[in-house]
């Protein structure tokens, strides 16, 4: 099937835009490749340090024979998604030895959970943890001891950070090894109803805790389709997983078999073998376009409007929200997974999953099939499903048609003709909106602005009844929560607002959110224009808004404007938010450097890259 014109057009535009940066990156990676294992070039003292504790692998490392896998792990036992990785290094070392190689844990990276820090001060460290993870990954691989890399990670900032860091060592092959989702808990709709009742004071804390504990109840990744599971989809469509690895449950024989297979394959595709597949050649403009298409087709997390930009930049590829918007409008929506539907990722996998989606998109010319997948084949082979034939790992063809068309569908009969990720633009700047979960009649609003400098201020107004319909106030409004961008306070998620705004909308009020902060994959059914850039802390347009200004947000048309006289708007002074209380305490003082040099949201809200003039790039 020939490529869809939009896919071809956007890919070509990205390649042209990235030519110099991509060329420089590939030249660096080619220069980093050694004729043999880099550890052979280490001094005797360097090498002795590197294998001192290697036990039975010491002779192999000493002689330089066989490949050595560097394991970078996000294991911790507080977070359900990462707890299953506790025994992965032991399994990987065994698999490597059986394949004639060795493996060492190169380092660990932090893995914090937005689910735990929602609405807490710690959330202001969340986005920057991605950059810290990238740096920790680079440090882990800095010893020149490795011929291949396995990255163990699942969630929000962890996978993007691991990939950004690994791309600094893009001359090495890199395979991502996930842990898989926990079993399904109570229905997502039931959990959301309890949250809304609690926001309205109609449910007790004990009722709410019982619902949450019945939803997040076991080892494995949370089962809604937020950033964590969107990460797993991205790894599949960019060819960085063993095929079909994304949604296999943890602590099962199949999951262990996939982990063993990843270790074995990483040795096969190192520079020591005949099928060298360095990360630098896997992640190119085609793989990045695949990621944007996959995000649109599955209704994935808006956090990737930030993360994908930063991941691409690490590979020398430059993308922007216009690219994402154009690809989303060309891509049909093929999945309805919570918060875009009632199903979770286990239901999605059972109905055909990513294998079905990838095949459908390939058949429609909406994905690049010829990327250098780590499993040794192309993207068509990525779209297969693993299974165990007794104890032998095999792959079979994914279902050709959906097994539940309430959850996943083919291109011929999609849920929507487009993916639903849009770029908004107007006199309020640029923003991202996810309309796939928003009812068509709620995708446009024209209402007065209500200005808040924190989500807590909005919640306090709600509890005080200040957002209720009353004389002189029809109840419709655009909640403007500003001072939440990366330079202001690290761009925290604003999930605490979701139940409140949803409750107001269910009352019959027309409401929307407008913010320079984040809302991610759980933004849900309320229209939310997020990631506004320039941010208020940079004297962006949100800092000009005043209470009562009429604001229009149109998700379908891709516009957002303050309906203020143009001359008066141009003359209006920006009021920068007060941020004195957001910069110290709870570790925030350690991130001052990141806040100072971070790029804009459309540049990936990343603090790692500077251009030749020392400005964020």
């Amino acid at each position: 099937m020939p490529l869809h014109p939009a896919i071809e057009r956007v890919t070509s535009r990205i390649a042209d835009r990235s030519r110099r940066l991509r060329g420089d990156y590939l030249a660096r990676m080619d220069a980093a490749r050694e004729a043999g294992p880099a550890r052979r070039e280490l001094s005797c003292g360097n090498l002795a340090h590197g294998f001192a504790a290697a036990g039975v692998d010491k002779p192999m490392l000493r002689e330089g024979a066989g490949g050595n896998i560097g394991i970078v792990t996000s294991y911790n036992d507080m977070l359900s998604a990462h707890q299953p990785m506790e025994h992965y290094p032991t399994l990987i070392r065994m698999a490597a030895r059986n394949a004639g190689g060795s493996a060492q844990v190169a380092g660990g990276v932090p893995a914090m959970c937005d689910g735990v820090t929602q609405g807490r001060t710690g959330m202001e460290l969340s986005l920057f943890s991605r950059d810290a993870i990238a740096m920790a990954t680079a440090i882990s691989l800095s010893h020149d001891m490795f011929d291949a890399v396995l990255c163990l990670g699942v969630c929000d900032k962890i996978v993007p950070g691991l990939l950004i860091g690994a791309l600094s060592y893009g001359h090495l092959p890199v395979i991502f090894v996930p842990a898989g989702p926990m079993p399904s808990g109570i229905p997502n709709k039931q959990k959301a109803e309890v949250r809304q009742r609690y926001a309205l004071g109609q449910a007790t804390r004990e009722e709410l805790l019982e619902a949450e504990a019945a939803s997040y109840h076991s080892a494995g990744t949370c089962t809604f389709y937020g950033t964590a599971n969107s990460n797993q989809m991205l790894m599949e469509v960019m060819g960085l997983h063993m095929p079909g690895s994304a949604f296999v449950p943890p602590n099962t024989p199949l999951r262990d078999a996939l982990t063993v297979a990843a270790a074995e394959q990483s040795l096969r595709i190192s520079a020591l073998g005949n099928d060298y597949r360095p990360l630098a050649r896997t992640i190119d403009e085609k793989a990045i376009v695949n990621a944007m298409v996959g995000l649109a087709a599955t209704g994935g997390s808006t956090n990737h409007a930030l993360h994908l930009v930063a991941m691409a930049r690490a590979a020398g590829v430059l993308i922007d929200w216009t690219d994402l918007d154009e690809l989303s409008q060309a891509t049909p929506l093929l999945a309805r997974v919570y918060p875009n539907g009632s199903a979770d990722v286990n239901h999605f996998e059972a109905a055909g999953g990513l294998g079905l989606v990838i095949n459908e998109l390939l058949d429609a010319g909406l994905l690049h099939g010829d990327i250098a997948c780590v499993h040794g084949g192309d993207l068509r082979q990525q779209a297969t499903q693993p299974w165990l034939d007794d104890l032998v790992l095999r792959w079979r063809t994914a279902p050709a048609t959906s097994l539940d068309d309430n959850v996943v569908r083919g291109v011929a009969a999609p849920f929507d003709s487009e993916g639903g990720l849009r770029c908004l633009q107007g006199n309020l700047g640029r923003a991202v909106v996810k309309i796939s979960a928003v009812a068509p009649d709620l995708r446009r609003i024209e209402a007065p602005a209500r200005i808040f400098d924190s989500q807590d201020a909005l919640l306090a107004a709600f509890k005080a009844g200040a957002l209720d319909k009353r004389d002189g106030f029809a109840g419709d409004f655009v909640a403007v929560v500003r001072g939440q961008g990366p330079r202001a306070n690290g761009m925290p998620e604003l999930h605490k607002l979701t139940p409140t705004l949803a409750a107001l909308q269910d009352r019959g009020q027309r409401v929307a959110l407008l913010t320079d902060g984040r809302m991610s994959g759980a933004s849900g059914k309320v229209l939310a224009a997020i990631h506004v850039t320039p941010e208020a802390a940079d004297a962006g347009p949100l800092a000009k808004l005043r209470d009562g200004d009429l604001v229009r947000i149109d998700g379908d048309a891709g516009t957002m404007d303050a309906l203020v006289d143009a001359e008066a708007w141009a003359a209006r002074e920006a009021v920068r938010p007060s941020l004195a209380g957001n910069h110290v305490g709870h570790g925030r003082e350690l991130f001052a450097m990141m806040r100072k040099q971070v790029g804009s949201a459309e540049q990936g809200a990343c603090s790692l890259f500077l251009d030749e003039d020392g400005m964020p790039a």
Side-chain angles (χ1 to χ4, degrees):
M1 177 74 181
L3 275 178
H4 187 288
I7 308 302
E8 193 166 26
R9 181 172 60 251
V10 173
T11 305
S12 177
R13 184 169 72 219
I14 292 170
D16 288 344
R17 183 193 301 144
S18 309
R19 199 169 306 282
R20 181 191 63 79
L21 191 65
R22 176 70 175 167
D24 290 347
Y25 171 74
L26 290 177
R28 292 201 316 273
M29 296 304 105
D30 288 343
R33 179 184 175 183
E34 301 283 349
R39 61 187 171 279
R40 290 179 183 168
E41 306 301 319
L42 297 179
S43 72
C44 293
N46 295 151
L47 185 58
H49 276 291
F51 63 62
V56 298
D57 294 324
K58 189 180 291 189
M60 183 175 295
L61 290 168
R62 178 172 182 152
E63 295 165 12
N68 188 35
I69 302 168
I71 303 167
V72 184
T73 178
S74 60
Y75 162 74
N76 64 61
D77 64 6
M78 186 195 78
L79 301 179
S80 63
H82 301 90
Q83 186 274 339
M85 295 174 176
E86 181 175 7
H87 302 296
Y88 279 22
T90 299
L91 196 60
I92 291 165
R93 280 190 285 266
M94 178 197 70
R97 288 170 191 146
N98 290 340
S102 56
Q104 296 175 292
V105 174
V109 302
M112 66 175 290
C113 178
D114 290 359
V116 178
T117 58
Q118 286 298 343
R120 310 292 297 173
T121 304
M123 178 56 80
E124 296 185 21
L125 309 185
S126 172
L127 181 59
F128 288 143
S129 77
R130 178 196 64 192
D131 297 3
I133 290 163
M135 291 188 285
T137 302
I139 292 168
S140 298
L141 299 177
S142 66
H143 301 98
D144 283 337
M145 287 288 293
F146 310 113
D147 305 291
V149 181
L150 294 182
C151 288
L152 315 186
V154 178
C155 288
D156 300 326
K157 275 68 55 190
I158 292 92
V159 166
L162 286 167
L163 182 54
I164 292 168
L167 281 162
S168 294
Y169 290 81
H171 61 290
L172 299 174
V174 178
I175 299 179
F176 277 72
V177 183
M182 68 177 66
S184 300
I186 65 169
N188 288 301
K189 184 177 181 181
Q190 181 181 340
K191 176 184 66 177
E193 287 172 350
V194 177
R195 286 179 174 178
Q196 283 190 215
R197 288 197 296 109
Y198 182 77
L200 294 168
Q202 298 169 357
T204 65
R205 177 180 169 83
E206 184 58 34
E207 287 178 278
L208 179 62
L209 181 57
E210 183 61 31
E212 299 289 358
S215 179
Y216 309 116
H217 62 95
S218 181
T221 313
C222 306
T223 57
F224 72 93
Y225 197 52
T227 312
N229 286 315
S230 296
N231 280 336
Q232 303 316 302
M233 176 276 300
L234 295 180
M235 295 303 100
E236 294 277 344
V237 299
M238 292 196 291
L240 290 175
H241 272 174
M242 294 303 290
S245 295
F247 302 131
V248 174
N251 303 317
T252 61
L254 181 56
R255 171 54 67 195
D256 287 347
L258 285 165
T259 301
V260 167
E264 294 169 343
Q265 181 64 10
S266 70
L267 293 173
R268 292 189 197 100
I269 61 174
S270 79
L272 305 179
N274 297 320
D275 189 19
Y276 177 46
R277 289 178 178 250
L279 179 64
R281 297 292 176 177
T282 296
I283 301 301
D284 60 7
E285 63 274 7
K286 291 182 178 180
I288 295 297
V289 166
N290 281 359
M292 289 190 280
V293 170
L295 194 67
T298 58
S301 169
T302 52
N303 270 331
H304 284 298
L306 309 173
H307 297 326
L308 269 174
V309 178
M311 290 188 284
R313 173 63 178 78
V317 177
L318 298 173
I319 61 173
D320 59 27
W321 291 345
T322 299
D323 299 326
L324 182 58
D325 183 292
E326 189 170 340
L327 291 171
S328 181
Q329 292 195 52
T331 304
L333 182 66
L334 303 185
R336 284 283 190 200
V337 188
Y338 187 81
N340 300 331
S342 60
D344 66 21
V345 293
N346 293 317
H347 306 135
F348 170 68
E349 178 72 4
L354 287 174
L356 173 63
V357 168
I358 292 171
N359 278 324
E360 285 287 321
L361 294 172
L362 283 169
D363 289 344
L366 290 164
L367 287 175
H368 293 282
D370 58 343
I371 61 172
C373 300
V374 295
H375 60 79
D378 60 15
L379 193 61
R380 182 71 72 177
Q381 291 165 281
Q382 186 79 35
T384 54
Q385 293 186 333
W387 65 290
L388 285 179
D389 181 5
D390 196 7
L391 295 178
V392 179
L393 177 62
R394 303 188 190 280
W395 280 268
R396 57 191 169 201
T397 304
T401 58
S402 174
L403 302 179
D404 185 346
D405 60 12
N406 293 310
V407 180
V408 61
R409 296 181 182 178
V411 169
F415 291 102
D416 203 329
S417 60
E418 65 167 277
L421 286 170
R422 286 290 186 91
C423 176
L424 304 179
Q425 187 163 334
N427 66 5
L428 290 171
R430 282 166 69 85
V432 170
V433 64
K434 180 178 176 179
I435 60 173
S436 56
V438 180
D441 62 321
L442 297 175
R443 294 176 181 176
R444 184 184 187 278
I445 188 171
E446 188 172 307
R450 298 294 302 271
I451 309 294
F452 303 95
D453 289 330
S454 70
Q455 60 180 336
D456 287 336
L458 190 156
L459 294 173
F462 172 75
K463 290 176 181 177
L467 303 181
D468 298 342
K469 293 182 181 181
R470 61 185 184 278
D471 292 344
F473 176 51
D476 298 350
F477 65 95
V478 175
V480 180
V481 184
R482 61 191 182 185
Q484 309 299 307
R487 284 182 176 265
N489 62 354
M491 208 176 187
E493 301 254 27
L494 304 176
H495 278 186
K496 274 188 7 179
L497 300 180
T498 301
T500 298
L501 294 174
L504 289 169
Q505 184 168 279
D506 288 349
R507 284 182 184 174
Q509 295 175 240
R510 293 187 69 89
V511 296
L513 176 66
L514 177 63
T515 182
D516 47 11
R518 295 187 293 132
M519 199 63 151
S520 117
S523 49
K525 63 186 181 182
V526 175
L527 184 66
I530 59 177
H531 307 173
V532 174
T533 184
E535 63 177 286
D538 270 347
L542 289 190
K544 288 186 172 187
L545 276 175
R546 305 290 184 264
D547 257 322
D549 283 343
L550 200 60
V551 171
R552 180 193 298 136
I553 302 172
D554 192 328
D556 288 321
T559 60
M560 60 173 195
D561 292 282
L563 304 182
V564 178
D565 175 76
E567 188 174 339
W569 182 253
R572 188 180 285 184
E573 183 180 354
V575 179
R576 293 176 186 261
S578 174
L579 299 166
N582 297 93
H583 290 171
V584 296
H586 220 84
R588 288 175 290 180
E589 60 274 11
L590 303 178
F591 291 79
M593 176 182 68
M594 289 185 175
R595 287 192 300 271
K596 183 175 182 179
Q597 72 176 39
V598 67
S600 71
E602 192 166 6
Q603 293 171 314
C606 189
S607 63
L608 299 174
F609 306 116
L610 299 178
D611 67 14
E612 294 173 354
D613 299 317
M615 297 299 290

